[in-house]
Amino acid sequence: MSSIAFIGLGVMGSPMAVHLAYAGHDVTGYNLTPDKYGPLEAAGGSPAGSIAEAVAGAEIVCVMVPDSPDVRDVLAGEGGVFANAKPGALIIDFSSIRPDVTIELAGTAAERGFRLLDAPVSGGEAGAKNAALSIMVGGSEADFAAAAEVFDHVGKTVVHVGPSGAGQTVKAANQLIVASNIQALAEAVVFVESYGVDTEAALEVLGGGLAGSAVLEQKRRNMLDRNFAPGFRIDLHHKDLGIVTAAARESGAVVPLGSLLAQLMASARANGDGGLDHSALLRGVERLSGLSDT
C-alpha cells in the first residue's frame, strides 16, 4: 500500500480519498476549509494543516480542485506540492482544467523531478461515491501504469488517451456532450409538460429507446422534482464550456452547439443558478418559455 496525499476534499475529492483509505492506503488529506475531514478520518485517513504537511513523504499526490488557477497554486505556488513533495513523487491531477495549463505544469513537474498525470473524471458525485468514475488520463504510459493502484479504487472506466494534456482535451469533449444532453432533456421536459403529458411516464419510455442516456437516467429525478441540490454545479460546467470554446478556437475546430451551450450556461449563472446542479438548465428553459419569474 502507498502513502497518498489527497489535496481537495470537496464533493468529488472526499469520497475518492475515502475509497483509497478503505483500500488500505495511508491517506493524508488537505482542504482549504477544515470542516471536510470527517469522512476521511472515519475511513482511517488523517488530516493535514497544510499542503506541505500533507505531501511530506507521500509517494503519490492526488489533486482535485475546481479550476486552472487552483491547480497552479496547489502545485507551483508558495508552499505547494513542487516545493515540498519528495522527488520522484507521482502527481495525479483529477481536476478539470485547461489543456495548455496541464502541459505547462507537466513540463515544470519534470524539471523538478516529479511525474504528472492529468486524469480528469466524469460521473459526478454518484460516480465518486460508487467508485464508478470514468477517468481519461494524459501522460506517459509508464506513469499511467504506476497509477493503477489509485485508479482501480476510484474508477470503473480508466483509459490512457495520450500524452500530457490529452486527458483534459477528452474531458472538455465530455463536458460538451453532457451539457448537450442536459439541455436537450430540459427542453424535452418542458415540451411534454406543455401538452399535459405524464412527464414521469414519458421519461421512462424515452429512457428505454434511442433517446436513453446516462444523463436521462441520472438527471430525470432532479428535473421531475425540481430538486437541483448540487452534484455538479453550473459554475463548474460554465468553466468547462469556456475551456471547450477556447480550445476549439485555438485548434480551428468549429463547435456551434458548444458556443450556444456556453451562452445558456452563462445565462443560468447570471440568473443566480451558478450554485445549483447543472440539471438546473431546466430553469433556463422555463424562463425562456415564460414559465418562471426567477
Side-chain angles (χ1 to χ4, degrees):
M1 296 293 105
S2 295
S3 172
I4 299 175
F6 208 108
I7 314 300
L9 300 174
V11 169
M12 302 291 288
S14 178
M16 294 169 72
V18 164
H19 287 309
L20 293 171
Y22 276 132
H25 294 290
D26 179 11
V27 181
T28 301
Y30 173 74
N31 199 71
L32 277 176
T33 54
D35 60 338
K36 303 292 187 180
Y37 294 118
L40 178 59
E41 289 183 284
S46 305
S50 65
I51 293 175
E53 181 184 341
V55 304
E59 299 163 275
I60 300 173
V61 178
C62 300
V63 179
M64 176 57 100
V65 293
D67 202 351
S68 301
D70 305 300
V71 174
R72 195 189 299 277
D73 286 346
V74 166
L75 296 184
E78 183 178 353
V81 174
F82 291 163
N84 292 283
K86 67 178 185 178
L90 175 61
I91 304 168
I92 306 172
D93 180 22
F94 289 112
S95 316
S96 296
I97 66 172
R98 287 165 36 195
D100 61 317
V101 173
T102 282
I103 294 169
E104 172 198 326
L105 290 171
T108 304
E111 292 171 1
R112 301 285 188 90
F114 302 112
R115 300 168 290 158
L116 176 63
L117 293 172
D118 51 299
V121 305
S122 179
E125 183 179 11
K129 288 183 174 179
N130 296 322
L133 293 167
S134 178
I135 308 176
M136 44 227 82
V137 187
S140 77
E141 291 187 7
D143 293 342
F144 174 71
E149 61 180 310
V150 171
F151 294 147
D152 288 347
H153 296 297
V154 299
K156 182 178 181 181
T157 303
V158 184
V159 180
H160 180 236
V161 295
S164 292
Q168 299 296 352
T169 301
V170 176
K171 176 57 187 292
N174 178 87
Q175 296 304 81
L176 171 59
I177 294 169
V178 170
S180 301
N181 275 269
I182 292 175
Q183 179 67 23
L185 176 59
E187 292 181 17
V189 166
V190 172
F191 173 67
V192 298
E193 287 182 346
S194 73
Y195 277 92
V197 172
D198 181 334
T199 312
E200 186 156 6
L203 295 184
E204 180 180 354
V205 69
L206 290 172
L210 190 58
S213 68
V215 164
L216 195 158
E217 181 64 28
Q218 294 183 28
K219 300 300 180 180
R220 70 167 77 181
R221 184 49 54 189
N222 299 57
M223 294 193 183
L224 287 169
D225 296 344
R226 276 29 178 205
N227 179 1
F228 304 118
F232 188 81
R233 290 181 287 116
I234 279 174
D235 280 337
L236 292 175
H237 213 142
H238 173 263
K239 176 261 298 183
D240 291 341
L241 290 175
I243 292 172
V244 170
T245 53
R249 183 172 62 250
E250 291 171 5
S251 70
V254 178
V255 288
L257 182 56
S259 298
L260 175 58
L261 290 165
Q263 292 299 310
L264 291 169
M265 205 72 73
S267 174
R269 292 181 78 241
N271 280 278
D273 291 347
L276 301 180
D277 186 77
H278 50 181
S279 57
L281 283 178
L282 176 67
R283 287 165 52 86
V285 179
E286 290 177 330
R287 281 189 290 264
L288 290 170
S289 301
L291 301 174
S292 174
D293 295 328
T294 61

